Amino acid sequence: MQLPNNIKKILYYFLADFIFVIHLVVILIVSFGWLIPSLFYIFIIIIISSILSEIYLHYCFLSKLEFGIRKKIDPTRIYDKSCIIHYTRVLFGLGPRIPSKQPQHFLKRNTFIFILLGIFVLGISYRIFYQYFLLNSYTHLYP
């Protein structure tokens, strides 16, 4: 039994929006998870998987999944490689980027990996500082 076309589109919209919300939560955890001690291990797992996804796949699999589902709704729509860049351009009323034919140099091609590695180092450094210096420096105040 085939579902009617309008019901398929509604299911695709729901699924794409659900993946977008999950992606937004992942982005928030990567951005601010290192500040919240209870989310620290989730932050580590997500940021390592994000770095590995960028290194081996050269894209975020959540963006690819969401844009693939949205392409089923409207095949003529053009999506960017990155979810953040795409929705930022949509927010400011800009069209999609035109891919360049020129080869990109190493830093431009791997910028996102360096940003993720920087957040990873910042998170680890904060955790070490918080755990060993802040918590241990106040223990003498509470007998």
Side-chain angles (χ1 to χ4, degrees):
M1 184 174 119
Q2 282 282 39
L3 289 174
N5 205 18
N6 57 351
I7 293 178
K8 275 186 185 178
K9 280 191 173 186
I10 290 171
L11 289 174
Y12 285 146
Y13 271 118
F14 176 76
L15 186 59
D17 289 343
F18 181 72
I19 293 170
F20 172 75
V21 169
I22 289 173
H23 202 179
L24 189 62
V25 168
V26 166
I27 290 169
L28 289 173
I29 289 173
V30 165
S31 300
F32 304 109
W34 56 276
L35 291 170
I36 304 166
S38 61
L39 288 179
F40 185 73
Y41 294 109
I42 295 171
F43 160 77
I44 293 294
I45 291 168
I46 290 175
I47 200 153
I48 288 174
S49 65
S50 298
I51 291 169
L52 292 175
S53 174
E54 281 295 320
I55 290 173
Y56 292 112
L57 302 176
H58 302 291
Y59 59 83
C60 174
F61 64 91
L62 287 173
S63 294
K64 189 89 162 174
L65 183 62
E66 178 193 351
F67 293 159
I69 293 170
R70 293 196 190 277
K71 276 280 203 192
K72 289 183 179 184
I73 298 168
D74 183 7
T76 61
R77 186 103 189 239
I78 298 172
Y79 293 97
D80 207 315
K81 178 183 156 187
S82 165
C83 179
I84 295 172
I85 292 172
H86 174 74
Y87 286 114
T88 302
R89 293 185 73 81
V90 167
L91 182 67
F92 290 108
L94 303 171
R97 291 187 303 177
I98 299 170
S100 174
K101 301 289 184 207
Q102 298 174 343
Q104 295 179 335
H105 57 43
F106 177 77
L107 288 177
K108 187 167 186 164
R109 190 175 56 245
N110 297 310
T111 301
F112 193 63
I113 294 172
F114 290 121
I115 291 171
L116 287 174
L117 285 172
I119 293 172
F120 178 73
V121 169
L122 182 67
I124 296 292
S125 302
Y126 177 78
R127 177 66 176 208
I128 290 169
F129 177 77
Y130 177 79
Q131 181 119 13
Y132 294 106
F133 294 112
L134 288 182
L135 291 180
N136 291 335
S137 64
Y138 293 111
T139 55
H140 68 281
L141 297 176
Y142 304 104

